[in-house]
């Protein structure tokens, strides 16, 4: 039996006209992202982190969370989505337009999780928060019987009030509470965004090492800095972290090197850097003792810090799809031109992110767009802060 959800007045529904007034990609409550098919039927957040992805959806000004549709209707949209595969597709909840642990959002978080769990689904479910988590919340997470739930606690240590008004101590406390009470679910320290000159001091890095002891794994990543976010920085008079913007997250090479030096465990042959990962799906998979569902094993420079046990799991599961099979599937989704299977990834043209991720999660093998090549060693990261390489992979 699931733990009873504490009664709380549900969020008000947006009117049909208000939904129409939203951008189409915000009104559409199901979106495919690299770490999973994402369900976002609550929009609005008061936390005001300057770098929030909500800038990209023209929704940053909506501070009060509202429902786009009921939890029940949202679950039906998710499981009926063309890209949803029971027990296979990784899922995410409320990671685009709100925080799932805000007091007014939390009841919808647990109701949605329960509805999906009651369907007997065993999919990965990622819940990302920087807000307060209580022991009672942990009880509700532990009561889920089927979903493989991972709570990723966003902690940056940024103290600039204009960039991140939320005290990072809240996330640190939540991380410790979640880890202490973890039963069926797993907990990740989501150390992000790390920005040079803002939260990358030796003390900041040492704090992350300390907090990593309260998580099943740690992911570190840089700043997602698109033009919409940069415009907000300029309008708000905030110090701009980089001279330019980028399509991918920015993690300078020298900063990564300092982080790896701090986490390194001399003499530990099994986990030379501990459970530290560059990619979210790698950490999630490790925490559940499963192979990475994104197939990063084909990109060895991402795996050179991984625990040996995780490398073994991924090696056993990693297999290139048959060329005729992946070609037929890619063509059916709209790919144009040749479909090439390399020892690192499937290369396609003409496919947006959604169908690429659908293929990637179905095969556990990277699927890349030729128009946006992945540079060796910078795989999936912006070129800012890296020595130029000549080879595209």
């Amino acid at each position: 039996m699931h733990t009873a959800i504490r009664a709380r007045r549900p969020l008000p529904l947006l009117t049909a006209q208000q939904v129409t007034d939203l951008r189409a990609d915000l009104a559409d409550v199901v979106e495919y992202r690299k770490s999973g098919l994402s369900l976002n039927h609550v929009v609005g957040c008061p936390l005001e982190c300057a770098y929030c992805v909500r800038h990209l959806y023209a929704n940053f000004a909506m501070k009060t969370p509202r429902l786009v549709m009921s939890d029940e209707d949202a679950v039906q949209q998710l499981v009926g989505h063309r890209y949803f595969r029971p027990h296979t597709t990784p899922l995410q909840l409320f990671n685009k337009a709100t925080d799932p642990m805000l007091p007014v959002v939390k009841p919808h978080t647990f109701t949605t999780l329960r509805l999906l769990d009651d369907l007997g689904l065993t999919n990965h479910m990622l819940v990302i928060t920087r807000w307060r988590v209580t022991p009672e919340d942990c009880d509700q997470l532990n009561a889920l019987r089927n979903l493989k739930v991972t709570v990723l606690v966003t902690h940056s240590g940024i103290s600039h009030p204009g960039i991140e008004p939320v005290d990072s101590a809240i996330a640190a406390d939540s991380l410790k509470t979640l880890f202490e009470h973890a039963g069926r679910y797993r907990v990740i320290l989501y150390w992000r965004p790390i920005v040079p000159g803002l939260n990358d001091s030796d003390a900041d890095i040492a704090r992350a090492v300390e907090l990593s002891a309260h998580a099943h794994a740690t992911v570190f990543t840089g700043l997602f800095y698109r033009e919409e976010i940069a415009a907000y920085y300029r309008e708000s008079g905030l110090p701009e972290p980089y001279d330019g913007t980028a399509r991918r997250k920015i993690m300078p090479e020298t900063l990564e090197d300092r982080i790896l030096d701090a986490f390194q465990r001399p003499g530990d042959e099994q986990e030379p850097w501990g459970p530290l990962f560059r990619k979210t799906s790698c950490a999630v998979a490790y925490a559940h003792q499963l192979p990475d569902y994104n197939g990063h094993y084909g990109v060895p420079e991402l795996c050179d810090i991984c625990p040996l046990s995780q490398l073994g799991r991924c090696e056993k599961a990693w297999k290139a799809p048959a060329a005729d099979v992946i070609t037929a599937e890619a063509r059916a989704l709209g790919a144009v031109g040749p479909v090439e299977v390399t020892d690192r990834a499937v290369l396609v043209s003409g496919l947006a992110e959604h169908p690429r991720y659908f293929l990637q999660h179905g095969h556990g093998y990277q699927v890349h767009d030729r128009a946006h090549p992945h540079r060796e060693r910078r795989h999936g990261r912006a070129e800012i802060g890296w020595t130029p390489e000549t080879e595209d992979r």
Side-chain angles (χ1 to χ4, degrees), residues 47-53 55 60 162-165 229 232-233 238:
L47 300 185
E48 296 191 312
C49 302
Y51 49 78
C52 184
V53 71
H55 288 295
F60 191 75
I163 295 174
E164 189 173 305
I229 298 172
Y232 178 80
Y233 272 61
L238 298 172

Side-chain angles (χ1 to χ4, degrees), residues 99-101 106 110 127 129-139 141 151 153 170-171 173-179 181 185:
D99 189 296
M101 289 300 172
K106 193 183 297 186
F110 289 128
V127 179
T129 184
R130 67 187 330 125
W131 200 240
R132 294 185 176 91
V133 179
T134 68
E136 292 74 22
D137 298 332
C138 299
D139 291 341
L141 293 169
V151 184
V153 180
I170 294 173
D173 289 344
S174 292
L175 182 78
K176 294 173 182 177
T177 297
L178 282 158
F179 189 64
H181 293 87
Y185 66 87

Side-chain angles (χ1 to χ4, degrees), residues 63-340:
K63 307 302 181 186
T64 303
R66 291 288 185 268
L67 281 169
V68 177
M69 62 182 64
S70 71
D71 300 323
E72 291 78 9
D73 288 346
V75 167
Q76 288 305 307
Q77 284 221 12
L78 177 65
V79 300
H81 195 276
R82 63 180 297 204
Y83 292 142
F84 175 78
R85 295 184 179 101
H87 315 300
T88 298
T89 306
L91 307 174
Q92 297 176 297
L93 182 61
F94 298 150
N95 66 322
K96 183 171 78 173
T98 194
D99 189 296
M101 289 300 172
L102 291 172
V104 295
V105 178
K106 193 183 297 186
H108 298 281
T109 298
F110 289 128
T111 296
T112 302
L113 291 174
R114 176 179 53 78
L115 290 168
L116 289 165
D117 196 67
D118 285 348
L119 294 174
L121 297 170
T122 59
N123 302 61
H124 279 290
M125 170 57 80
L126 280 62
V127 179
I128 304 171
T129 184
R130 67 187 330 125
W131 200 240
R132 294 185 176 91
V133 179
T134 68
E136 292 74 22
D137 298 332
C138 299
D139 291 341
Q140 296 207 48
L141 293 169
N142 281 321
L144 300 168
R145 298 301 179 195
N146 300 300
L147 293 170
K148 291 186 281 289
V149 177
T150 306
V151 184
L152 298 99
V153 180
T154 297
H155 180 279
S156 69
I158 293 174
S159 58
H160 191 299
I163 295 174
E164 189 173 305
V166 180
D167 189 342
S168 287
I170 294 173
D173 289 344
S174 292
L175 182 78
K176 294 173 182 177
T177 297
L178 282 158
F179 189 64
E180 178 183 354
H181 293 87
R184 286 203 70 256
Y185 66 87
R186 293 293 178 263
V187 188
I188 304 294
L189 169 59
Y190 217 9
W191 183 23
R192 64 167 192 171
I194 311 170
V195 184
L198 191 61
N199 63 336
D200 69 329
S201 69
D202 290 346
D204 290 322
I205 296 174
R207 175 60 171 159
V209 174
E210 175 190 348
L211 286 174
S212 69
H214 302 278
H216 296 105
T218 296
V219 180
F220 70 97
T221 188
L223 179 67
F224 191 52
Y225 196 57
R226 290 282 187 88
E227 181 52 43
E228 295 90 338
I229 298 172
Y232 178 80
Y233 272 61
R234 290 191 293 269
E235 292 166 5
S236 303
L238 298 172
E240 296 183 58
Y242 297 103
D243 292 335
T245 58
R247 177 178 177 271
R248 293 166 171 153
K249 290 179 182 177
I250 305 170
M251 169 55 68
E253 183 176 16
T254 54
L255 177 51
E256 175 173 299
D257 288 343
R258 290 176 56 221
I259 290 168
L260 296 185
D261 286 346
F263 273 82
Q264 192 163 20
R265 300 177 176 182
D268 189 336
E269 296 181 357
Q270 296 302 310
E271 296 191 348
W273 284 269
L276 177 71
F277 299 90
R278 295 180 173 100
K279 298 294 181 178
T280 301
S281 63
C282 299
V284 169
Y286 170 85
H288 289 273
Q289 299 184 22
L290 294 168
D292 171 35
Y293 55 80
N294 266 317
H296 287 117
Y297 185 77
V299 187
E301 64 266 25
L302 290 178
C303 307
D304 59 7
I305 63 172
C306 291
L308 294 185
S309 62
Q310 188 61 21
L311 286 173
R313 294 185 194 106
C314 293
E315 181 181 21
K316 289 178 182 178
W318 186 77
K319 181 181 179 181
D324 58 339
V325 171
I326 194 69
T327 297
E329 292 178 350
R331 290 262 188 274
L333 292 169
V336 297
V339 176
E340 180 185 357

